[in-house]
Amino acid sequence: MSVDLRKIDQLAPDRIESLNRLPIVGVFYTEFLLNIWKRLYQWEDVVLTAGDTCLIGFIKKTSLGNIFYSLPFGWYGGVVCSADNAPKGDQIFAWLEQRSFLQENIVQLVPEGGYGPRYPDRYTQKALSTHILDLQASPDLNDNTRRNIRAANDAGFKIARCHERDLPQFLSLLRQQVSRTQERRRLPEDFYSELFLHGCKAPGDVIALGAALQEELCAVHLYFRNAEDIFYFDGVASNKGKELGANFAIFDHVIMRNREEGQLRLNFGATPVGDAGLDRFKSGWGATKHTYHEFSRRSLLKQGIDFMVRR
């Protein structure tokens, strides 16, 4: 069977929704998220299918060659296949190899059933991790998390979906946090603006949720949501919000509300390797750590370029 090449806008909406119903693996597949990359980066989008096996990705063109990303910056995606059709992934890997990409990066979170594609030996494998909370199980908060929730509740935060008029406050919080932490965000401010404005619309697959005191936004969280999962994407907080526990107030609200509405899981997002503090924070909510992988291949030319840049 040959590989069928399509564009994202040629996928039927119910096809994307069917990917999202797979356990965990398709949590980032939404039409809005996929199309925002096309608008902001002008990367070429591709959808590779072999039977019911599918890989959605982007091709970044450079002067020296093209780079393939399953989804940019470590977001979940990868080769999606049913339990009895994992071998069809071989055809997709063969298609990628024939294109002689300068580099390939495919992020893969294996579904709960344990099946998944067999990656060829030419790919190197890097272990990554995330934390996922079972929303339908009894809460298992540690003592520190319980104390912080009580303190946040005592502060009196109002938790609500943000409005479009809150965009200047959100961007101000974003800039404050970058200045305070000196963190280097890989995504442009325009991306956050568009994501925030989309998240102000209800209902929708993006949620912008704020914690405010007397009309002053102290923290904002951005979430993705599908039929069964809610996924924490990113959050920002002011110094006051951080001190008074605004992030705890929002997480507590999100967990209770989505549990009541029948959502199955809350995904706390990627946990950087070696970040013990973030690992403890997520575990404190009763979330279970899950391992997923980034499979990558660099051509000899790309290896040489990277070596020269590091010197």
Side-chain angles (χ1 to χ4, degrees):
M1 182 180 295
S2 62
V3 173
D4 186 19
L5 175 63
R6 301 178 186 175
K7 295 289 188 179
I8 288 172
D9 57 14
Q10 293 174 324
L11 276 185
D14 61 345
R15 174 58 169 152
I16 295 179
E17 181 57 32
S18 70
L19 294 175
N20 284 329
R21 287 198 292 270
L22 290 171
I24 302 176
V25 72
V27 74
F28 263 112
Y29 282 136
T30 71
E31 286 185 275
F32 172 78
L33 179 64
L34 294 169
N35 284 318
I36 195 174
W37 287 107
K38 294 168 61 176
R39 290 196 300 274
L40 287 178
Y41 288 93
Q42 290 81 52
W43 293 353
E44 180 184 349
D45 59 293
V46 293
V47 181
L48 309 175
T49 56
D52 66 354
T53 301
C54 176
L55 174 62
I56 297 177
F58 295 88
I59 297 174
K60 177 183 179 181
K61 296 184 177 181
T62 75
S63 59
L64 296 174
N66 298 335
I67 298 174
F68 177 87
Y69 296 98
S70 65
L71 276 176
F73 305 122
W75 291 353
Y76 300 161
V79 179
V80 178
C81 55
S82 62
D84 57 349
N85 273 321
K88 288 200 171 65
D90 296 342
Q91 297 171 358
I92 290 178
F93 297 129
W95 186 95
L96 293 171
E97 186 174 26
Q98 290 169 5
R99 271 40 182 199
S100 299
F101 285 105
L102 193 64
Q103 178 175 324
E104 299 161 25
N105 289 78
I106 305 175
V107 175
Q108 187 81 49
L109 183 59
V110 176
E112 290 173 340
Y115 59 85
R118 297 188 298 264
Y119 278 79
D121 293 339
R122 66 179 181 272
Y123 289 95
T124 60
Q125 180 177 330
K126 178 183 178 182
L128 307 170
S129 67
T130 187
H131 285 71
I132 298 174
L133 177 64
D134 182 354
L135 291 175
Q136 297 308 307
S138 300
D140 187 22
L141 309 178
N142 66 19
D143 291 340
N144 185 60
T145 301
R146 293 181 188 278
R147 284 194 299 270
N148 281 295
I149 291 173
R150 285 196 296 269
N153 289 337
D154 290 343
F157 287 107
K158 178 183 177 182
I159 311 298
R161 197 162 196 152
C162 296
H163 298 279
E164 292 184 7
R165 64 175 180 270
D166 298 323
L167 178 60
Q169 284 195 73
F170 168 68
L171 292 179
S172 177
L173 290 177
L174 179 65
R175 293 163 190 154
Q176 287 177 43
Q177 181 152 313
V178 169
S179 176
R180 182 177 67 238
T181 63
Q182 298 298 306
E183 62 186 3
R184 182 182 177 187
R185 290 179 180 265
R186 294 174 294 183
L187 302 170
E189 194 169 281
D190 286 349
F191 178 90
Y192 282 97
S193 296
E194 188 167 354
L195 204 61
F196 177 86
L197 292 174
H198 189 75
C200 295
K201 302 172 183 177
D205 51 9
V206 181
I207 301 171
L209 205 60
L213 290 175
Q214 293 155 353
E215 305 304 318
E216 175 190 356
L217 270 182
C218 297
V220 173
H221 285 191
L222 298 172
Y223 294 88
F224 290 89
R225 192 171 190 247
N226 61 33
E228 295 181 343
D229 297 276
I230 183 162
F231 193 112
Y232 171 72
F233 170 69
D234 206 349
V236 292
S238 65
N239 289 331
K240 180 195 293 186
K242 186 174 176 62
E243 179 183 345
L244 296 178
N247 290 320
F248 284 91
I250 297 178
F251 275 126
D252 187 49
H253 173 91
V254 165
I255 290 170
M256 290 192 297
R257 175 64 62 86
N258 284 274
R259 179 176 282 135
E260 292 169 358
E261 294 179 358
Q263 296 296 104
L264 299 184
R265 293 170 289 263
L266 166 63
N267 191 317
F268 279 89
T271 304
V273 176
D275 193 331
L278 191 56
D279 194 298
R280 285 194 301 271
F281 172 80
K282 295 176 180 180
S283 298
W285 293 90
T288 302
K289 192 171 185 176
H290 292 258
T291 299
Y292 62 108
H293 298 90
E294 180 180 30
F295 293 88
S296 61
R297 184 202 63 81
R298 294 183 300 157
S299 66
L300 290 175
L301 175 58
K302 185 63 165 64
Q303 293 178 46
I305 294 171
D306 291 344
F307 175 77
M308 295 302 294
V309 169
R310 286 196 299 268
R311 292 186 66 182

